[in-house]
Amino acid sequence: MLQSVAGTVNVIASSSYHTGTLPSLTAKAVKKAPNMSNMMIYRLKFMTVMFLTAKLQKRYVMSKKKRNCFVLYSLIRTFARMREQQLNLPAYDVRISERDGRQTIFDFLRNRYVALTPEEWVRQHFTHFLVEHKGYPKGLLANETELRVGDKRLRCDTVLYDQSLRPRMIIEYKAPHIKIQQKTFDQIVVYNLLLHADYLVVSNGLQHYCCQMDYEHRSYTFLTDIPDYAVITPCR
């Protein structure tokens, strides 16, 4: 009888829980020892449950480790891919994180992490460029400014205000792989019908276009560079 029980335990220990369900494992074990009592069969079932539980727990821990490794790998890969996308903008100390299963980047204007997209990658570089290299006050820049046209809600990518909180510049971003076309300017013109800003800027991180409006003469002029904040501070 002891030999039968030992043989039964060996059958369980050498079996993978992928080979069948709990009843099928028990049936295989009982086949090996047909003279077992009900109590021993009950103990055998209990041992089988404990064995499977331990296996599942071990598998869960390994799966969790693999998930964490995958998240870390995905984060590094995304960051490396973004780094490879060289923009025509100065580099800065980028802060990227994993939040709720998605890649995020820290927005220093909104003071929180936001979804990392190619367009957001351009926006963060451009706003840092304005603040750190062009002297634009951080407190006068706003991302995702909401506008209302009737029942429609629109959002400007970035708006620069003056000290009186009047809009001075509207900035629209596109992903680096998207070419800047006429419809991009059409979009920013719609925003400007409400804001009446003095400067309209469009950028995909590689090309930047800045247009200065002249409302008195109903004309506009494309500038060769993004103006410093000191140039645009005089009130109109």
Side-chain angles (χ1 to χ4, degrees):
M1 179 63 72
L2 290 176
Q3 291 178 351
S4 298
V5 174
T8 300
V9 174
N10 288 333
V11 169
I12 297 174
S14 62
S15 300
S16 169
Y17 62 89
H18 288 293
T19 59
T21 60
L22 177 58
S24 65
L25 285 172
T26 306
K28 289 178 184 179
V30 172
K31 255 186 180 180
K32 292 284 184 179
N35 298 324
M36 292 175 62
S37 65
N38 291 335
M39 179 58 70
M40 296 191 69
I41 292 176
Y42 172 78
R43 288 179 179 177
L44 174 62
K45 290 182 178 180
F46 178 76
M47 291 170 61
T48 304
V49 171
M50 295 299 293
F51 173 76
L52 293 181
T53 301
K55 290 282 285 184
L56 289 172
Q57 286 178 342
K58 183 178 179 181
R59 192 172 191 80
Y60 173 76
V61 171
M62 292 300 294
S63 176
K64 189 174 182 181
K65 287 182 178 179
K66 287 181 180 178
R67 271 201 316 273
N68 291 340
C69 288
F70 175 78
V71 167
L72 180 60
Y73 170 75
S74 177
L75 181 61
I76 294 173
R77 186 178 178 184
T78 300
F79 185 72
R81 187 171 64 250
M82 289 297 187
R83 282 292 191 188
E84 290 173 359
Q85 177 61 69
Q86 296 294 330
L87 302 180
N88 185 23
L89 289 166
Y92 76 99
D93 188 16
V94 182
R95 294 165 60 184
I96 295 180
S97 179
E98 175 80 16
R99 301 291 174 97
D100 300 326
R102 64 176 185 171
Q103 307 299 324
T104 59
I105 186 170
F106 187 76
D107 184 341
F108 76 125
L109 296 184
R110 287 176 279 183
N111 197 34
R112 61 184 175 88
Y113 282 90
V114 297
L116 176 56
T117 62
E119 185 177 314
E120 192 63 49
W121 181 253
V122 173
R123 170 162 40 197
Q124 294 308 315
H125 277 78
F126 202 93
T127 50
H128 275 83
F129 163 66
L130 294 179
V131 172
E132 297 170 7
H133 297 269
K134 291 292 183 177
Y136 287 44
K138 174 183 172 182
L140 296 180
L141 286 166
N143 285 339
E144 293 294 313
T145 301
E146 184 177 292
L147 303 175
R148 292 190 179 185
V149 181
D151 295 333
K152 292 184 179 180
R153 292 186 177 183
L154 306 175
R155 287 187 180 274
C156 294
D157 288 342
T158 302
V159 176
L160 169 72
Y161 298 90
D162 62 15
Q163 296 290 344
S164 302
L165 298 182
R166 291 182 298 182
R168 300 304 307 275
M169 179 182 288
I170 304 174
I171 310 170
E172 182 69 18
Y173 307 106
K174 295 297 178 185
H177 65 276
I178 297 179
K179 293 183 179 180
I180 297 177
Q181 300 176 344
Q182 182 60 46
K183 62 180 181 181
T184 307
F185 289 97
D186 294 342
Q187 182 178 358
I188 200 170
V189 166
V190 171
Y191 299 153
N192 201 40
L193 291 176
L194 298 175
L195 297 180
H196 301 285
D198 296 320
Y199 297 87
L200 307 181
V201 178
V202 177
S203 173
N204 63 358
L206 302 175
Q207 296 176 306
H208 322 300
Y209 296 92
C210 181
C211 176
Q212 183 176 7
M213 305 299 296
D214 185 346
Y215 294 101
E216 183 179 353
H217 298 92
R218 297 185 178 182
S219 63
Y220 57 87
T221 304
F222 278 97
L223 307 180
T224 57
D225 193 12
I226 307 298
D228 291 343
Y229 182 72
V231 175
I232 64 176
T233 47
C235 297
R236 21 178 204 191

